[in-house]
Amino acid sequence: MIAVALRNLRHRPGGFIATFLSAFLGAALIMAFAALLDTASGLSAAEGNDSLVTTAMVGGGWCLVIVAFAVTSTLSLAVRQRSEQIALLRRAGATGPQIRRMVVGEALAVALLASAIAVPAGWLLGRVLVSLLKDTGQVVAAVSPGFGGIALALGFGVTLLGSFAAGLATARRILASSSRRERPRLRRLGAVLFLLIGANCAVLTATLMDGKGIDAMQTAGQAGIWASIGLALLAPELLRLVTVVLGPLVRVFGVAGDLAVTGVHSRTRQLASAVMPVLLFTGIATGTVYMQGIEDRAAEGQIQPEYAQDIQTLNYVVVGMITLFVAIMLVNTLVAATTHRRREFAQQRLAGATTGQVLAMVSLEGVLITVTGVLGGLAASMFTILPFGSARADQIWPSESPWAFAIVACSAAVLTAFATIQTTSRTVRGPATTAVRA
Amino acid sequence: MTDIVRVEELYKTYEGGVTALDGVTAGFAAGSFTAVMGPSGSGKSTLLQCAAGLDRPTGGRVFIDGTELTATKDTPMTKFRRTRVGFVFQDYNLLPSLTVEQNTVLSLRLAGRRPDRTRVHAVLDRLGLGDRLHELPERLSGGQRQRVAVARALVTEPAVIFADEPTGALDLRSAREVLTLLRSIVHDHGRTVVMVTHDPVAAAYADSVVFLADGRLAGSLRAPTADAVAERLAHLGDRVGGVLA
Ligand SMILES: Nc1ncnc2c1ncn2[C@@H]1O[C@H](COP(=O)(O)OP(=O)(O)OP(=O)(O)O)[C@@H](O)[C@H]1O
Ligand SMILES: [Mg+2]
């Protein structure tokens, strides 16, 4: 079965690009943050050891959570798209453990390749981080950036382990779904758990951290991220809800709207995997930008503790990285999910749909995805913004202008539209009769 | 009689160099029922797809109802095809997320026409699907799916219906029903049907049979009987076998 796995990789590399990209980006980010630990070893506190370790822990920690999330979702997307091949293998007599070995083997091979290629990128990113910390004076200029055992061990270790776990989980899901429908209980339980943690952080911010100044950011920032993850796990439910509410509006567009609405109901999970990155992107970006805005306004004319700048840098670095990563994930997921619909699009065209109608349907689906993700993200960001505003500025609703949110929402919409429309128009090129066979 | 479908000097070479059609010229008269037969790989499906405007030939021209399909761009071609041409595919090509009824009216709706529910139900009833309107294709048998595909081709009331092995997956009884239905829409409703089949008995339902071998026309037969068709096919097989060997 390992041989089949490797052959799959060689013959259908396209199906693994999404998984590869997220593993690659994840490995590079983890290596970059872990390299800070390499740099820190042997440094004294005065030279900036603490700043390095804190940045590594906070930044690396978030990357870890997001990467695990990204790899699992792209991998299961890639595998679910091949459910036909897997069904064929099963019918040809492959046992459950054999399928599992194949899926896990593919995941590990992709992860190994991705981490190996990520080494130079991680090295470079690590240097960028150190020079950022030097620029803001948190690390003395004489420190030379390191990249050694810790970076490599964590980079490879986390990526391989994460992919292994994701592969196992995916295989379990495939094998289970061939006989019965997937049970969303675990996912919902996880969602509730993350939302509770988020709510807890929010309450702590508003109560315990009230009047503690900039320190309230720690818990406030976390509250938003946890809530984003919790809501992202509920993406299928949220998407269905939004579709029910917006359905009548979408159906105004005629048959393309009808197809979009039925599409959401029959392929909720696939489309939900595109909602997740939109939601994470909107939630984390909005939360952090407004939190920093509230902080900047509150800090005007006040004497700041010396680490205020540390935190500001850290905020922007972490948010910048997560945002970039999630944006790439979003495009990645959408491209993978859309490419796989070649056959479906071809069938619609054979039934008489023009490419314009197919594009209209996909665009309407994109609207539903974006609206769900942006509203979910906005809700999640409130876990950060409201308690932090109350703790830092005694003002629950921020006086910052809504423009920053509008920009975040528009970026999400543009990314979604770009990825789906671009991929769809590439996918519907060529005769439909050939495409249905693929 | 006027030809509702006419193909002239049709050539089709697929990427990779396989020549599936090698200069086919043929006409299908309005109100006729024609079977297209020939060995596997002789280009029957390719001929149907090019004639129906689903695929573009490498060379040659296709006319449907006086309009040259090969002269139009993709989108106008699709718009023309979905109201004037019905196609029943060998492997159904139903959309898995749509119900029987939704699949049946899909082409109509894509064309921006409001389906006449009573008529649609009548067609589905006639095909024995009256009680499966809200079922998804995955819960139907192969024969039932094929009948949905036939219903979809019928409800647009096209000038011509192309059917690629429409009875390939059906049991004898359902096959006979589909064939009788196709014949009745030709003889009672004056429509035109072009059907690919491997089965001499199915071909005998048609008014004439056109034989295809190696992408070229290899004769035709009027008022075919199953025996006569089988006999011709056997010789066709000999000849093609000889060429291949
Ligand atoms: N999309 C394609 N790409 C490349 N070659 C193709 C394609 N479709 C068909 N061919 C080739 O063209 C030739 C004719 O194929 P076609 O499907 O028209 O045959 P057919 O007569 O319908 O056969 P069958 O009775 O088996 O359905 C075959 O040699 C086939 O391999
Ligand atoms: Mg064929």
Side-chain angles (χ1 to χ4, degrees):
Chain A
M1 271 338 237
I2 298 294
V4 175
L6 293 179
R7 223 173 9 250
N8 285 339
L9 292 182
R10 228 172 318 129
H11 285 288
R12 308 191 53 180
F16 295 94
I17 286 176
T19 322
F20 173 82
L21 258 178
S22 47
F24 165 80
L25 281 167
L29 284 179
I30 291 172
M31 283 178 196
F33 281 108
L36 296 182
L37 296 177
D38 279 318
T39 311
S41 61
L43 288 189
S44 69
E47 287 167 311
N49 183 309
D50 282 352
S51 283
L52 285 168
V53 173
T54 317
T55 312
M57 288 302 178
V58 177
W62 287 128
C63 284
L64 213 69
V65 176
I66 306 280
V67 167
F69 208 71
V71 173
T72 319
S73 88
T74 42
L75 188 68
S76 58
L77 193 70
V79 173
R80 216 175 314 122
Q81 290 174 349
R82 290 170 37 227
S83 53
E84 224 159 278
Q85 184 207 359
I86 286 166
L88 278 177
L89 279 172
R90 292 221 82 176
R91 260 178 262 145
T95 63
Q98 279 175 323
I99 302 273
R100 185 155 44 235
R101 273 205 296 282
M102 183 184 84
V103 171
V104 173
E106 285 169 1
L108 284 179
V110 170
L112 196 64
L113 192 70
S115 338
I117 296 179
V119 171
W123 176 82
L124 199 72
L125 266 175
R127 295 181 78 91
V128 172
L129 281 180
V130 172
S131 70
L132 251 173
L133 291 172
K134 278 185 195 167
D135 284 352
T136 53
Q138 292 150 55
V139 174
V140 294
V143 169
S144 63
F147 189 89
I150 305 180
L152 289 177
L154 279 178
F156 273 87
V158 167
T159 314
L160 285 176
L161 216 70
S163 299
F164 180 71
L168 274 186
T170 311
R172 206 190 49 142
R173 201 181 302 159
I174 298 171
L175 294 174
S177 69
S178 57
S179 52
R180 60 194 141 89
R181 290 189 89 78
E182 185 221 4
R183 282 180 305 179
R185 236 195 354 238
L186 203 65
R187 179 171 56 77
R188 287 187 187 151
L189 208 70
V192 170
L193 199 71
F194 282 117
L195 282 173
L196 283 178
I197 299 176
N200 184 39
C201 289
V203 170
L204 280 182
T205 310
T207 54
L208 217 61
M209 306 306 273
D210 197 354
K212 294 263 169 68
I214 192 171
D215 290 356
M217 271 198 180
Q218 278 176 30
T219 48
Q222 282 192 31
I225 298 182
W226 292 123
S228 298
I229 295 176
L231 284 176
L233 283 173
L234 289 180
E237 285 80 5
L238 296 177
L239 180 60
R240 242 176 266 142
L241 186 72
V242 166
T243 307
V244 167
V245 174
L246 292 188
L249 206 65
V250 172
R251 284 183 195 275
V252 168
F253 292 88
V255 65
D258 279 352
L259 285 174
V261 171
T262 34
V264 169
H265 286 297
S266 62
R267 303 174 46 259
T268 313
R269 279 201 60 87
Q270 280 91 325
L271 293 175
S273 59
V275 170
M276 288 188 191
V278 182
L279 199 155
L280 287 174
F281 171 82
T282 314
I284 295 175
T286 310
T288 314
V289 167
Y290 278 92
M291 178 169 75
Q292 192 61 50
I294 295 170
E295 169 60 29
D296 290 348
R297 184 180 296 246
E300 264 168 28
Q302 282 185 9
I303 306 154
Q304 295 187 55
E306 53 181 292
Y307 53 84
Q309 184 154 44
D310 269 32
I311 293 178
Q312 195 181 26
T313 320
L314 200 63
N315 258 331
Y316 285 134
V317 167
V318 170
V319 167
M321 291 224 168
I322 291 180
T323 307
L324 185 72
F325 182 72
V326 174
I328 293 173
M329 272 295 307
L330 169 60
V331 174
N332 197 3
T333 310
L334 284 171
V335 169
T338 310
T339 309
H340 175 62
R341 297 171 67 185
R342 198 170 136 82
R343 192 181 145 84
E344 182 199 333
F345 296 155
Q347 288 182 323
Q348 285 163 348
R349 285 160 65 207
L350 289 179
T354 60
T355 40
Q357 286 175 316
V358 174
L359 281 173
M361 176 196 76
V362 171
S363 310
L364 288 170
E365 282 177 6
V367 169
L368 291 173
I369 289 173
T370 315
V371 169
T372 311
V374 166
L375 287 182
L378 183 63
S381 72
M382 291 302 153
F383 281 68
T384 294
I385 299 172
L386 302 184
F388 186 73
S390 132
R392 186 73 177 102
D394 286 323
Q395 179 184 11
I396 290 183
W397 193 254
S399 46
E400 267 65 36
S401 87
W403 278 112
F405 170 69
I407 291 172
V408 170
C410 284
S411 328
V414 167
L415 282 176
T416 312
F418 168 76
T420 41
I421 293 176
Q422 170 68 20
T423 317
T424 307
S425 49
R426 201 152 27 86
T427 309
V428 295
R429 219 169 278 162
T433 45
T434 313
V436 278
R437 296 156 172 240
Chain B
M1 254 195 288
T2 49
D3 285 343
I4 200 111
V5 180
R6 185 152 185 82
V7 298
E8 288 175 1
E9 288 294 302
L10 223 47
Y11 289 88
K12 175 74 183 179
T13 305
Y14 283 109
E15 278 168 47
V18 180
T19 299
L21 293 179
D22 198 7
V24 175
T25 300
F28 301 94
S32 68
F33 185 3
T34 313
V36 178
M37 301 195 79
S40 189
S42 56
K44 304 181 297 292
S45 297
T46 308
L47 174 64
L48 243 60
Q49 285 163 5
C50 288
L54 292 171
D55 202 353
R56 281 187 184 279
T58 324
R61 308 204 289 173
V62 175
F63 295 88
I64 289 184
D65 216 0
T67 306
E68 186 183 347
L69 267 189
T70 31
T72 50
K73 287 194 187 321
D74 281 351
T75 300
M77 186 153 109
T78 303
K79 287 183 176 166
F80 178 83
R81 166 168 69 77
R82 68 188 173 196
T83 53
R84 312 292 293 138
V85 181
F87 206 106
V88 181
F89 297 91
Q90 204 167 345
D91 44 7
Y92 333 123
N93 281 323
L94 302 177
L95 284 165
S97 58
L98 301 184
T99 64
V100 167
E101 189 178 9
Q102 289 168 335
N103 261 298
T104 307
V105 299
L106 182 61
S107 300
L108 269 181
R109 300 224 34 214
L110 285 166
R113 279 158 55 182
R114 187 174 292 282
D116 173 356
R117 284 177 68 98
T118 17
R119 229 185 67 76
V120 169
H121 288 185
V123 170
L124 285 170
D125 257 340
R126 177 140 184 226
L127 287 163
L129 293 161
D131 52 348
R132 316 296 293 252
L133 295 181
H134 305 295
E135 209 88 78
L136 289 177
E138 61 180 17
R139 303 192 42 192
L140 298 180
S141 75
Q144 289 166 333
R145 284 181 220 189
Q146 190 60 284
R147 279 180 270 158
V148 179
V150 172
R152 184 167 75 185
L154 282 179
V155 294
T156 55
E157 309 203 311
V160 53
I161 293 177
F162 293 99
D164 196 348
E165 299 189 35
T167 56
L170 304 192
D171 65 79
L172 279 178
R173 218 178 86 100
S174 336
R176 209 158 47 211
E177 265 169 27
V178 169
L179 289 165
T180 311
L181 184 83
L182 288 176
R183 192 159 65 177
S184 100
I185 61 172
V186 172
H187 293 161
D188 306 339
H189 300 276
R191 303 202 181 284
T192 311
V193 173
V194 182
M195 167 184 78
V196 167
T197 180
H198 281 291
D199 178 8
V201 176
Y205 279 79
D207 307 323
S208 63
V209 181
V210 170
F211 295 94
L212 212 60
D214 286 333
R216 295 207 184 94
L217 284 187
S220 62
L221 202 63
R222 293 211 146 271
T225 63
D227 287 340
V229 170
E231 162 108 12
R232 277 288 280 277
L233 273 181
H235 292 308
L236 211 58
D238 283 352
R239 232 178 55 205
V240 172
V243 171
L244 286 180

